[in-house]
Amino acid sequence: MPSNDVRTLLQAAVPTVAVGAIAAVVSGVLAGGKGVLGAVVATLVVTLFMGIGLYVLQRTAKSLPHLFQAMGLMLYAAQILLLFVFLAAFKNTSLFNPRSFAITLVVGTLAWIAAQTRAHMKAKILYVEPDSSDDKPEKTGRPS
């Protein structure tokens, strides 16, 4: 991954994990050990889903730039749909507190989106890729 992509990933993941840690502490106080487990699982799910989505989006931007906007919209719709599937699948689980899981999942997703938006706004990304030196004709001193 190029350095801009890694920087964007870190600038989105770190606040999300921090929000997840705060949610785990609050869930631990309010719901005990199962609340902590629910918050941690939700934080991992959000970070994994959104991180993979960002990676796919960056790869699409490099290889198929004309599909970037459509791919971004489709990707976010798919991610939100998958998060709702996770909410529905673990709605009645006894492994962890489902309320802590659901709230952390939503708050973590919002934190990721806000952090990723901020990272993209602050990034200085070139709109046009400059030509590499390999593609330029050699200068011979003669007019062509």
Side-chain angles (χ1 to χ4, degrees), residues 56-137:
V56 168
L57 194 60
Q58 295 300 333
R59 299 258 317 179
T60 301
K62 302 266 186 297
S63 61
L64 303 167
H66 59 284
L67 293 178
F68 180 68
Q69 186 175 16
M71 183 68 170
L73 290 171
M74 192 273 315
L75 184 68
Y76 281 125
Q79 285 175 332
I80 298 299
L81 204 68
L82 280 172
L83 291 175
F84 280 129
V85 166
F86 261 79
L87 281 173
F90 292 107
K91 179 172 62 174
N92 296 320
T93 187
S94 61
L95 295 173
F96 48 77
N97 187 317
R99 180 171 282 165
S100 297
F101 175 76
I103 291 171
T104 305
L105 198 65
V106 171
V107 171
T109 301
L110 292 174
W112 181 283
I113 291 171
Q116 184 178 352
T117 302
R118 183 179 184 278
H120 279 294
M121 288 174 54
K122 292 195 136 309
K124 293 179 172 55
I125 299 172
L126 296 173
Y127 289 98
V128 177
E129 293 287 331
D131 290 335
S132 67
S133 61
D134 296 336
D135 296 338
K136 293 181 183 177

